[in-house]
Amino acid sequence: MSQFSTLSVRERKKQAAALCHEVHGGANGFTMDLGKKLSTPKDIMLEELSLLSNRGSRLFKMRQRRSDKYTFESIQNEANAIALDIMILLKSRI
């Protein structure tokens, strides 16, 4: 038994069951209204991430630079591969 609890295990289980019963709808069919989930606009989140005032923003920027680097490299590699394929096709026709 926890040092902070004065209830027995059976009483805690009863309380937990009562709370679950209330949240999922009791015998009368009413459910607990937890309200609407707050949503933060995307532009506000991106604005906060663009500020370099905290560690999370700096880490986000570093991760973004790394992913951009690999994205641009893969695009260049694909363009080079296509150009190479075209050159091989042209040489085989000659």
Side-chain angles (χ1 to χ4, degrees):
M1 189 144 91
S2 173
Q3 63 181 350
F4 300 110
S5 176
T6 58
L7 300 174
S8 70
V9 174
R10 179 172 288 170
E11 290 170 335
R12 285 186 298 185
K13 284 184 179 181
K14 281 183 181 180
Q15 279 185 344
L19 285 172
C20 288
H21 189 68
E22 182 179 346
V23 168
H24 295 295
N28 53 10
F30 293 114
T31 58
M32 182 181 281
D33 182 19
L34 299 176
K36 182 183 176 208
K37 181 179 176 183
L38 294 177
S39 60
T40 306
K42 189 175 181 180
D43 55 337
I44 292 176
M45 291 189 296
L46 290 176
E47 180 183 341
E48 288 181 1
L49 285 174
S50 68
L51 301 173
L52 295 179
S53 60
N54 62 11
R55 185 170 184 259
S57 298
R58 289 191 297 271
L59 290 174
F60 175 76
K61 282 290 185 190
M62 289 170 54
R63 191 177 315 116
Q64 200 172 31
R65 285 186 195 126
R66 280 196 308 268
S67 68
D68 288 346
K69 174 184 160 186
Y70 293 121
T71 302
F72 293 137
E73 284 179 0
S74 68
I75 290 172
Q76 289 173 349
N77 289 340
E78 287 178 20
N80 290 340
I82 292 171
L84 185 62
D85 289 342
I86 292 173
M87 288 177 56
I88 292 172
L89 283 173
L90 291 175
K91 283 184 181 180
S92 67
R93 290 186 182 187
I94 295 177

PDB file of all heavy atoms in Angstrom, residues 4 7 10 12 23 28 41-42 54 68 90 92 94:
ATOM      1  N   PHE A   4       1.196   7.339   0.849  1.00  0.00           N
ATOM      2  CA  PHE A   4       0.393   8.543   0.778  1.00  0.00           C
ATOM      3  C   PHE A   4      -1.103   8.259   0.808  1.00  0.00           C
ATOM      4  O   PHE A   4      -1.903   9.161   0.883  1.00  0.00           O
ATOM      5  CB  PHE A   4       0.738   9.320  -0.493  1.00  0.00           C
ATOM      6  CG  PHE A   4       2.184   9.731  -0.549  1.00  0.00           C
ATOM      7  CD1 PHE A   4       3.043   9.141  -1.454  1.00  0.00           C
ATOM      8  CD2 PHE A   4       2.685  10.688   0.307  1.00  0.00           C
ATOM      9  CE1 PHE A   4       4.366   9.507  -1.508  1.00  0.00           C
ATOM     10  CE2 PHE A   4       4.007  11.059   0.266  1.00  0.00           C
ATOM     11  CZ  PHE A   4       4.854  10.471  -0.636  1.00  0.00           C
ATOM     12  N   LEU A   7      -6.558   4.971   2.024  1.00  0.00           N
ATOM     13  CA  LEU A   7      -7.625   4.066   1.625  1.00  0.00           C
ATOM     14  C   LEU A   7      -7.060   2.670   1.377  1.00  0.00           C
ATOM     15  O   LEU A   7      -5.916   2.510   0.974  1.00  0.00           O
ATOM     16  CB  LEU A   7      -8.295   4.559   0.337  1.00  0.00           C
ATOM     17  CG  LEU A   7      -8.948   5.940   0.386  1.00  0.00           C
ATOM     18  CD1 LEU A   7      -9.435   6.324  -0.989  1.00  0.00           C
ATOM     19  CD2 LEU A   7     -10.090   5.949   1.372  1.00  0.00           C
ATOM     20  N   ARG A  10      -9.183  -2.071  -1.881  1.00  0.00           N
ATOM     21  CA  ARG A  10     -10.569  -2.270  -2.326  1.00  0.00           C
ATOM     22  C   ARG A  10     -11.283  -0.934  -2.491  1.00  0.00           C
ATOM     23  O   ARG A  10     -12.001  -0.717  -3.475  1.00  0.00           O
ATOM     24  CB  ARG A  10     -11.308  -3.144  -1.312  1.00  0.00           C
ATOM     25  CG  ARG A  10     -12.759  -3.381  -1.693  1.00  0.00           C
ATOM     26  CD  ARG A  10     -13.416  -4.373  -0.803  1.00  0.00           C
ATOM     27  NE  ARG A  10     -12.853  -5.687  -1.150  1.00  0.00           N
ATOM     28  CZ  ARG A  10     -13.043  -6.783  -0.451  1.00  0.00           C
ATOM     29  NH1 ARG A  10     -13.751  -6.743   0.646  1.00  0.00           N
ATOM     30  NH2 ARG A  10     -12.524  -7.914  -0.827  1.00  0.00           N
ATOM     31  N   ARG A  12      -9.891   2.036  -3.095  1.00  0.00           N
ATOM     32  CA  ARG A  12      -9.331   2.735  -4.259  1.00  0.00           C
ATOM     33  C   ARG A  12      -9.880   2.163  -5.556  1.00  0.00           C
ATOM     34  O   ARG A  12     -10.164   2.890  -6.492  1.00  0.00           O
ATOM     35  CB  ARG A  12      -7.804   2.654  -4.245  1.00  0.00           C
ATOM     36  CG  ARG A  12      -7.191   3.594  -3.203  1.00  0.00           C
ATOM     37  CD  ARG A  12      -5.723   3.601  -3.310  1.00  0.00           C
ATOM     38  NE  ARG A  12      -5.239   2.237  -3.037  1.00  0.00           N
ATOM     39  CZ  ARG A  12      -3.987   1.878  -2.957  1.00  0.00           C
ATOM     40  NH1 ARG A  12      -3.044   2.762  -3.118  1.00  0.00           N
ATOM     41  NH2 ARG A  12      -3.644   0.632  -2.707  1.00  0.00           N
ATOM     42  N   VAL A  23     -17.306   8.686 -16.329  1.00  0.00           N
ATOM     43  CA  VAL A  23     -16.750   9.223 -17.572  1.00  0.00           C
ATOM     44  C   VAL A  23     -17.376   8.549 -18.781  1.00  0.00           C
ATOM     45  O   VAL A  23     -17.713   9.197 -19.775  1.00  0.00           O
ATOM     46  CB  VAL A  23     -15.211   9.061 -17.586  1.00  0.00           C
ATOM     47  CG1 VAL A  23     -14.645   9.342 -18.960  1.00  0.00           C
ATOM     48  CG2 VAL A  23     -14.576   9.985 -16.564  1.00  0.00           C
ATOM     49  N   ASN A  28     -27.754   6.364 -16.169  1.00  0.00           N
ATOM     50  CA  ASN A  28     -28.722   7.261 -16.799  1.00  0.00           C
ATOM     51  C   ASN A  28     -28.291   7.690 -18.205  1.00  0.00           C
ATOM     52  O   ASN A  28     -29.009   8.416 -18.869  1.00  0.00           O
ATOM     53  CB  ASN A  28     -28.957   8.498 -15.919  1.00  0.00           C
ATOM     54  CG  ASN A  28     -27.656   9.180 -15.541  1.00  0.00           C
ATOM     55  OD1 ASN A  28     -26.608   8.856 -16.069  1.00  0.00           O
ATOM     56  ND2 ASN A  28     -27.734  10.129 -14.636  1.00  0.00           N
ATOM     57  N   PRO A  41      -3.221  27.703 -33.799  1.00  0.00           N
ATOM     58  CA  PRO A  41      -3.007  27.882 -35.227  1.00  0.00           C
ATOM     59  C   PRO A  41      -1.564  27.556 -35.627  1.00  0.00           C
ATOM     60  O   PRO A  41      -0.622  27.789 -34.876  1.00  0.00           O
ATOM     61  CB  PRO A  41      -3.311  29.361 -35.459  1.00  0.00           C
ATOM     62  CG  PRO A  41      -4.133  29.771 -34.300  1.00  0.00           C
ATOM     63  CD  PRO A  41      -3.711  28.897 -33.153  1.00  0.00           C
ATOM     64  N   LYS A  42      -1.436  26.998 -36.813  1.00  0.00           N
ATOM     65  CA  LYS A  42      -0.129  26.543 -37.283  1.00  0.00           C
ATOM     66  C   LYS A  42       0.854  27.706 -37.415  1.00  0.00           C
ATOM     67  O   LYS A  42       2.037  27.555 -37.105  1.00  0.00           O
ATOM     68  CB  LYS A  42      -0.301  25.845 -38.632  1.00  0.00           C
ATOM     69  CG  LYS A  42       0.926  25.157 -39.119  1.00  0.00           C
ATOM     70  CD  LYS A  42       0.644  24.393 -40.391  1.00  0.00           C
ATOM     71  CE  LYS A  42       1.873  23.672 -40.879  1.00  0.00           C
ATOM     72  NZ  LYS A  42       1.612  22.936 -42.100  1.00  0.00           N
ATOM     73  N   ASN A  54      14.805  29.833 -27.424  1.00  0.00           N
ATOM     74  CA  ASN A  54      14.842  28.668 -26.551  1.00  0.00           C
ATOM     75  C   ASN A  54      15.477  27.484 -27.259  1.00  0.00           C
ATOM     76  O   ASN A  54      15.651  27.471 -28.473  1.00  0.00           O
ATOM     77  CB  ASN A  54      13.450  28.305 -26.020  1.00  0.00           C
ATOM     78  CG  ASN A  54      12.488  27.931 -27.114  1.00  0.00           C
ATOM     79  OD1 ASN A  54      12.884  27.738 -28.251  1.00  0.00           O
ATOM     80  ND2 ASN A  54      11.217  27.823 -26.776  1.00  0.00           N
ATOM     81  N   ASP A  68      16.540  19.370 -44.950  1.00  0.00           N
ATOM     82  CA  ASP A  68      16.602  20.090 -46.222  1.00  0.00           C
ATOM     83  C   ASP A  68      17.839  19.677 -47.011  1.00  0.00           C
ATOM     84  O   ASP A  68      17.779  19.493 -48.224  1.00  0.00           O
ATOM     85  CB  ASP A  68      16.615  21.608 -45.995  1.00  0.00           C
ATOM     86  CG  ASP A  68      15.278  22.143 -45.547  1.00  0.00           C
ATOM     87  OD1 ASP A  68      14.270  21.405 -45.655  1.00  0.00           O
ATOM     88  OD2 ASP A  68      15.234  23.297 -45.080  1.00  0.00           O
ATOM     89  N   LEU A  90      20.989   8.102 -75.671  1.00  0.00           N
ATOM     90  CA  LEU A  90      21.440   8.808 -76.879  1.00  0.00           C
ATOM     91  C   LEU A  90      22.671   8.134 -77.472  1.00  0.00           C
ATOM     92  O   LEU A  90      22.797   8.016 -78.689  1.00  0.00           O
ATOM     93  CB  LEU A  90      21.711  10.274 -76.564  1.00  0.00           C
ATOM     94  CG  LEU A  90      20.479  11.132 -76.241  1.00  0.00           C
ATOM     95  CD1 LEU A  90      20.899  12.535 -75.836  1.00  0.00           C
ATOM     96  CD2 LEU A  90      19.535  11.173 -77.421  1.00  0.00           C
ATOM     97  N   SER A  92      23.480   4.987 -77.219  1.00  0.00           N
ATOM     98  CA  SER A  92      23.129   3.670 -77.772  1.00  0.00           C
ATOM     99  C   SER A  92      22.445   3.805 -79.124  1.00  0.00           C
ATOM    100  O   SER A  92      22.487   2.881 -79.927  1.00  0.00           O
ATOM    101  CB  SER A  92      22.236   2.912 -76.794  1.00  0.00           C
ATOM    102  OG  SER A  92      20.991   3.561 -76.673  1.00  0.00           O
ATOM    103  N   ILE A  94      23.317   5.972 -81.416  1.00  0.00           N
ATOM    104  CA  ILE A  94      24.306   6.422 -82.417  1.00  0.00           C
ATOM    105  C   ILE A  94      25.030   5.247 -83.001  1.00  0.00           C
ATOM    106  O   ILE A  94      25.257   4.234 -82.656  1.00  0.00           O
ATOM    107  CB  ILE A  94      25.300   7.402 -81.778  1.00  0.00           C
ATOM    108  CG1 ILE A  94      24.574   8.668 -81.360  1.00  0.00           C
ATOM    109  CG2 ILE A  94      26.402   7.751 -82.742  1.00  0.00           C
ATOM    110  CD1 ILE A  94      25.433   9.680 -80.663  1.00  0.00           C
TER     111      ILE A  94
END
